[in-house]
Amino acid sequence: MTAPERRRPLPALAFIGVLCLLTAVVWFRVIHRGGGSDATGSPSCPTTVSSQHATPKVVPKPSTVSILVLNSTQRSGIASKTKKQLIKRKFKVTGAENDAAAYGGHGVIKGVAEIRYGPQAVAAAELVRFYFPHAAMQQTDASTRVVTVSLGANFKHLASRAGVRAAMHKSHTKYGKPRPAPNPSPSC
């Protein structure tokens, strides 16, 4: 019997060493990659967070929101009835009128309602929409913080308190002091 042939470990060790060095270089480049992209090649600008971990939207409390209720239907009395319901919900209601030309009237509104608001009343209008589901949102150039709600032909009643809470929870919205929307970074 002859002695078993002994293999030299040097070529195998050299091969493993080169692979480790190559792996280290690749990881170093991935970690320190510049040029505005990550390892997948997508832009490094902020992306939308999944709805489970989304930052809550903030809307003002009803007691800080002023609403003008307009009747844009042929039915009488729905603006004053809705005004009373909104006051019970702690809103500041400035009036209940017919949707005349003085208020930017559009004639009969066929939907549930139209919520009109200026740039200073965006957060307030978002809150009001929870009380008037399926209402159309209409931004105007109004300089006031008053939100105008023009009730339409399909309007029946305000959303229930439980319905408002559930809709706010589902959309990750809470009460608080709204902050101005952040400007996107110039690199995006």
Side-chain angles (χ1 to χ4, degrees):
M1 224 158 134
T2 62
E5 208 175 293
R6 209 165 164 184
R7 293 187 183 173
R8 293 183 182 204
L10 188 59
L13 288 176
F15 181 71
I16 291 173
V18 169
L19 284 177
C20 288
L21 181 63
L22 183 61
T23 303
V25 169
V26 169
W27 276 107
F28 180 81
R29 293 194 65 190
V30 167
I31 292 171
H32 294 93
R33 176 173 278 175
S37 62
D38 62 9
T40 62
S42 62
S44 64
C45 292
T47 58
T48 305
V49 181
S50 71
S51 62
Q52 290 179 342
H53 304 291
T55 303
K57 290 185 277 183
V58 179
V59 294
K61 293 182 178 180
S63 61
T64 65
V65 175
S66 296
I67 300 176
L68 171 63
V69 182
L70 300 177
N71 181 354
S72 297
T73 71
Q74 299 297 324
R75 296 182 285 166
S76 62
I78 65 170
S80 61
K81 181 179 175 184
T82 303
K83 173 185 175 181
K84 291 174 186 173
Q85 292 172 347
L86 288 168
I87 290 172
K88 286 181 182 179
R89 305 277 184 101
K90 308 291 186 212
F91 284 97
K92 296 178 190 174
V93 183
T94 61
E97 309 286 335
N98 285 323
D99 193 2
Y103 298 113
H106 294 72
V108 175
I109 293 178
K110 294 180 180 155
V112 172
E114 187 175 89
I115 299 172
R116 301 181 198 135
Y117 58 97
Q120 297 180 17
V122 172
E126 289 176 6
L127 170 65
V128 171
R129 188 166 192 189
F130 288 110
Y131 290 83
F132 297 89
H134 309 294
M137 301 290 280
Q138 180 67 44
Q139 187 163 2
T140 66
D141 59 354
S143 60
T144 67
R145 294 183 185 271
V146 176
V147 176
T148 302
V149 178
S150 293
L151 303 175
N154 292 338
F155 176 75
K156 303 290 184 233
H157 52 79
L158 291 176
S160 68
R161 286 182 169 90
V164 170
R165 279 192 304 271
M168 288 180 69
H169 178 74
K170 184 177 180 181
S171 68
H172 303 283
T173 303
K174 66 177 186 173
Y175 292 118
K177 185 173 183 175
R179 295 184 206 162
N183 293 331
S185 65
S187 65
C188 291

